[in-house]
Amino acid sequence: MRERLKSVVLCVLILTSMFLTTKLLFGQPYWETASPPAYKQVTFGELRPLQEQIRPVLRLGEDDKWLQLQPWDEGYQAAWEWLSWLFRPRQVPVSTTLPEFGGLQVRLNFMLPVETNWWVTNRQLRGLEILQAAWFAEAPQTIWYQTASGRWLRGELTLPEQWEEQLPALFAAGLELRTAAAEELALEPVSAGVLLPQAVPELAVHAITAENLESDELLGSFFVNPALVRRIEEGDGAEIYTDGQKGLRLFRHGELEFNAPENEPGSAPQSLAEILKQGAQYLQLMGGWPDHLYLQKVHRTERSANWEQRYTQTLVFQSVQKGIPLLSAKPAVSLYFSDRGVINYQRQIYLLGSPTGTAEPLVKPQQAVAAVADQLAAEGAEEQLAAVSPVLYFHSFVTRQSYARPAWLVELQQRQAVVDGFTGEFITWLE
């Protein structure tokens, strides 16, 4: 009886083994062909089109008086669409020099050389990267383009009737500027001159609040599988989330920092269009791209002597609210990445609240320039002055109540300085 029971158990084990072996060999796909597990990808808002990421500063001037429109200004879109006629030359532009006309003129200045075919399809400009465009009323059917190398090209236009007559109305809301004389500035201006506001602006102190992003949604966008993420709480209240390869740090004051060292170095160079498309995708996945966030700077590092920094790019963004930039010690958003993905991402966006008092006039911009000149002299450094503009600035954020004060942003060729708008005292250099 015992021997018969052993035989039955043995037969059951053999049949079970054969069944499981068959299931293993033929019932499951190979790992290489198996479908990966599906996880929900969290996104924030819609993807920003390439045409909306970089746009020029528009200026209409005569003699030393100018009207300026920035991409965030009222009336900018209509003016930009009308001025796009300047990118429709009839033939391929030819090399030339820029004329010294003194009458009515239009200037379009890009932050870096770009292809105008992003906005206007014209085979005459295909492959040409333009840094600046200049139109003069003294030669109304001619346009001058400055290329990435600084060379000027001349093209012939066919502008619609009443084109010139529309310009004053399109620039009616523009900021009134004037070209400053070199003798009124404590620093040597760049060769093109420096534009200052015709009237000293009046600004008020504003309350600010930190951007509020849902941590659960952030984790879902930064990590494919949240189940593998480990949470660490630091002594200052910051929270760190990591899956062993990349990490996300959330600070109590609203700042976040993401690092993925495995994506450095980059293995291939990228065009400007590819850089901007990737930047827009990363912002969409990493907190979103608010309407008040504007691209400020693009920096590419290629073939660096440091092998770990080959083929990388940095995008820097600034926040512009109520028509004026809101600055702090760090940029609102900075994105450092390569063709392999994000390497470092920092985000510290604040929202402008109500004014805490009445608007008051700022000190004259010349006083702000003088304060920066004194600081440079103390450091034993020399710089040329590029631009001066009003901003709102705050040094640090306090959880309960923080304020942004009016200030002057003094831009030099190599760096930027912030000067208190009410006292004229030097505050700090910006990163």
Side-chain angles (χ1 to χ4, degrees):
M1 184 65 181
R2 180 177 297 178
E3 293 299 326
R4 181 178 298 177
L5 182 59
K6 289 182 179 180
S7 299
V8 172
V9 172
L10 182 60
C11 289
V12 171
L13 292 176
I14 293 174
L15 292 174
T16 301
S17 177
M18 293 176 62
F19 173 77
L20 293 176
T21 302
T22 304
K23 186 74 173 176
L24 180 63
L25 293 176
F26 305 105
Q28 298 290 338
Y30 292 106
W31 174 254
E32 291 83 357
T33 61
S35 298
Y39 302 105
K40 181 180 179 181
Q41 180 66 69
V42 178
T43 60
F44 297 82
E46 297 182 357
L47 190 64
R48 185 69 61 94
L50 185 66
Q51 296 80 2
E52 297 181 7
Q53 296 187 42
I54 290 185
R55 291 188 175 183
V57 178
L58 312 178
R59 295 192 179 111
L60 175 67
E62 188 170 6
D63 298 328
D64 63 343
K65 301 294 192 298
W66 294 86
L67 293 173
Q68 174 179 280
L69 288 173
Q70 295 276 12
W72 51 80
D73 288 331
E74 179 184 356
Y76 179 91
Q77 182 61 32
W80 170 231
E81 291 177 359
W82 187 248
L83 295 179
S84 66
W85 280 97
L86 299 178
F87 297 114
R88 296 181 175 127
R90 298 192 303 268
Q91 292 89 24
V92 176
V94 297
S95 182
T96 186
T97 57
L98 187 68
E100 296 183 359
F101 294 141
L104 186 70
Q105 58 180 287
V106 172
R107 296 293 182 106
L108 288 75
N109 296 280
F110 292 91
M111 68 172 67
L112 72 170
V114 297
E115 294 187 25
T116 59
N117 282 333
W118 291 358
W119 304 279
V120 179
T121 302
N122 189 313
R123 61 192 179 118
Q124 311 299 345
L125 297 179
R126 184 173 301 165
L128 182 64
E129 293 186 337
I130 294 175
L131 182 61
Q132 183 183 171
W135 172 91
F136 301 93
E138 296 180 43
Q141 298 298 328
T142 307
I143 182 67
W144 282 262
Y145 304 116
Q146 186 181 34
T147 65
S149 63
R151 184 168 58 105
W152 284 95
L153 305 175
R154 187 187 74 249
E156 301 302 323
L157 301 169
T158 302
L159 296 177
E161 295 183 4
Q162 308 299 316
W163 188 88
E164 181 179 337
E165 286 72 10
Q166 297 293 326
L167 296 177
L170 292 171
F171 279 86
L175 177 63
E176 297 181 352
L177 303 172
R178 65 176 180 86
T179 305
E183 55 269 18
E184 65 179 305
L185 300 173
L187 292 173
E188 180 184 355
V190 294
S191 57
V194 174
L195 296 178
L196 300 179
Q198 292 189 31
V200 176
E202 296 184 359
L203 296 174
V205 178
H206 284 70
I208 57 173
T209 57
E211 176 187 46
N212 183 23
L213 295 175
E214 294 292 337
S215 58
D216 291 341
E217 292 185 357
L218 282 174
L219 292 177
S221 63
F222 282 92
F223 300 99
V224 177
N225 185 2
L228 302 178
V229 177
R230 184 163 57 99
R231 176 180 176 273
I232 303 171
E233 185 171 351
E234 296 186 308
D236 60 358
E239 297 178 343
I240 297 177
Y241 298 88
T242 178
D243 61 0
Q245 295 182 328
K246 48 187 178 291
L248 171 65
R249 176 180 292 172
L250 300 177
F251 296 88
R252 297 182 64 181
H253 55 270
E255 181 182 0
L256 68 84
E257 181 178 3
F258 176 75
N259 289 283
E262 63 181 356
N263 293 328
E264 187 176 11
S267 58
Q270 294 179 288
S271 67
L272 177 61
E274 292 172 330
I275 292 172
L276 296 179
K277 288 177 181 177
Q278 282 201 38
Q281 292 172 353
Y282 291 141
L283 275 179
Q284 184 193 29
L285 294 173
M286 299 178 174
W289 190 329
D291 293 337
H292 59 84
L293 197 65
Y294 291 86
L295 183 63
Q296 183 181 16
K297 183 167 53 177
V298 179
H299 177 70
R300 286 182 279 188
T301 301
E302 297 185 359
R303 303 184 183 276
S304 170
N306 184 352
W307 183 77
E308 293 186 352
Q309 293 184 355
R310 291 197 314 169
Y311 305 127
T312 58
Q313 37 273 334
T314 304
L315 300 182
V316 178
F317 298 83
Q318 66 174 344
S319 175
V320 182
Q321 302 175 46
K322 299 182 180 181
I324 187 166
L326 176 61
L327 305 182
S328 64
K330 290 184 177 180
V333 172
S334 61
L335 186 60
Y336 178 51
F337 62 97
S338 70
D339 61 299
R340 300 173 60 181
V342 176
I343 301 169
N344 177 267
Y345 174 66
Q346 296 184 27
R347 183 183 182 110
Q348 188 177 23
I349 294 179
Y350 297 103
L351 305 178
L352 199 61
S354 303
T356 60
T358 58
E360 298 181 12
L362 278 62
V363 299
K364 293 183 178 181
Q366 295 91 329
Q367 185 175 343
V369 175
V372 175
D374 292 341
Q375 182 66 26
L376 287 172
E379 298 177 4
E382 293 185 1
E383 288 270 8
Q384 284 188 315
L385 179 64
V388 185
S389 57
V391 297
L392 290 174
Y393 176 81
F394 65 97
H395 183 267
S396 61
F397 183 78
V398 181
T399 303
R400 292 188 176 181
Q401 192 71 60
S402 294
Y403 302 95
R405 289 177 54 84
W408 286 106
L409 176 66
V410 181
E411 300 181 59
L412 309 178
Q413 285 192 309
Q414 301 296 327
R415 49 183 173 172
Q416 298 178 328
V418 178
V419 177
D420 191 287
F422 292 151
T423 67
E425 296 180 358
F426 177 87
I427 297 178
T428 186
W429 297 108
L430 292 181
E431 290 185 1

